[in-house]
């Protein structure tokens, strides 16, 4: 199982996906709750790899994740440029607008909730698409 992690100072996105791209979990979590949540997820899922966005706060979170899970679980930084824009579009694929909201053009739609968890999904997909580029 791969844990995708979109780091942030206030909230973080977490996703768990297997190597066949089956999504098992995704959620946006307040940063203060991340340690507890990841410990619980690690007990439930056999996490053997972590992919983390390479932008803001990634260095600090990478150190924290190493302490939370294990030094034997590799942590790979993934280029997260444009992932938030991609996540906004993906949100509408996952949760199509209903009723009159379908008439609003895609570019003008704003998801009603944070999409950090979808960013975490995208980070895993980017890794799986180009896993030969990353050393584990």
């Amino acid at each position: 199982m791969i844990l995708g992690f979109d780091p942030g100072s206030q909230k973080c996105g977490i996703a768990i996906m297997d190597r066949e791209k089956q999504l098992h979990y995704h959620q946006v979590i307040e940063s203060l709750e991340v340690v507890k949540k990841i410990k619980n997820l690690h007990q439930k899922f056999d996490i053997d790899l972590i992919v983390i966005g390479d932008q803001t706060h990634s260095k600090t979170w990478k150190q924290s994740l190493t302490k939370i899970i294990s030094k034997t679980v590799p942590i790979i930084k993934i280029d997260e440029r444009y992932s938030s824009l991609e996540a906004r579009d993906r949100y509408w694929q996952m949760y199509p607008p209903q009723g009159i909201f379908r008439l609003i053009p895609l570019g003008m739609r704003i998801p009603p909730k944070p999409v950090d968890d979808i960013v975490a999904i995208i980070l895993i997909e980017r890794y799986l698409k180009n896993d030969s580029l990353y050393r584990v």
Side-chain angles (χ1 to χ4, degrees):
M1 293 287 186
I2 301 171
L3 171 73
F5 188 74
D6 178 35
S9 61
Q10 302 294 317
K11 62 187 177 344
C12 298
I14 297 176
I16 295 182
M17 184 183 288
D18 60 34
R19 293 178 190 279
E20 287 75 41
K21 297 186 180 179
Q22 176 74 34
L23 183 62
H24 295 270
Y25 176 87
H26 65 100
Q27 185 176 6
V28 177
I29 299 173
E30 290 184 34
S31 295
L32 297 173
E33 299 293 320
V34 167
V35 171
K36 180 180 174 184
K37 184 53 128 179
I38 289 180
K39 283 181 180 179
N40 290 340
L41 290 171
H42 188 47
Q43 290 174 353
K44 186 175 179 181
F45 298 100
D46 184 23
I47 297 169
D48 62 353
L49 177 66
I50 299 171
V51 295
I52 182 172
D54 66 351
Q55 299 294 311
T56 311
H57 307 292
S58 66
K59 184 176 181 179
T60 304
W61 276 112
K62 184 177 180 183
Q63 293 169 348
S64 295
L65 291 172
T66 301
K67 293 174 188 172
I68 296 169
I69 294 194
S70 168
K71 291 184 177 165
T72 61
V73 175
I75 300 174
I76 297 174
K77 287 187 176 183
I78 302 292
D79 181 3
E80 67 173 301
R81 285 180 289 177
Y82 309 110
S83 60
S84 293
L85 293 174
E86 190 176 336
R88 279 180 51 174
D89 291 343
R90 178 79 61 89
Y91 176 89
W92 296 113
Q93 292 171 10
M94 294 170 71
Y95 309 103
Q98 302 297 312
I100 196 164
F101 294 106
R102 292 180 296 165
L103 301 175
I104 299 172
L106 182 61
M108 294 180 66
R109 294 181 195 157
I110 299 173
K113 63 181 193 124
V115 294
D116 304 74
D117 56 334
I118 301 173
V119 170
I121 294 168
I122 290 167
L123 294 174
I124 296 171
E125 291 172 348
R126 287 181 181 183
Y127 167 78
L128 290 171
K129 184 178 178 182
N130 297 303
D131 65 345
S132 62
L133 299 176
Y134 303 100
R135 285 189 229 156
V136 176

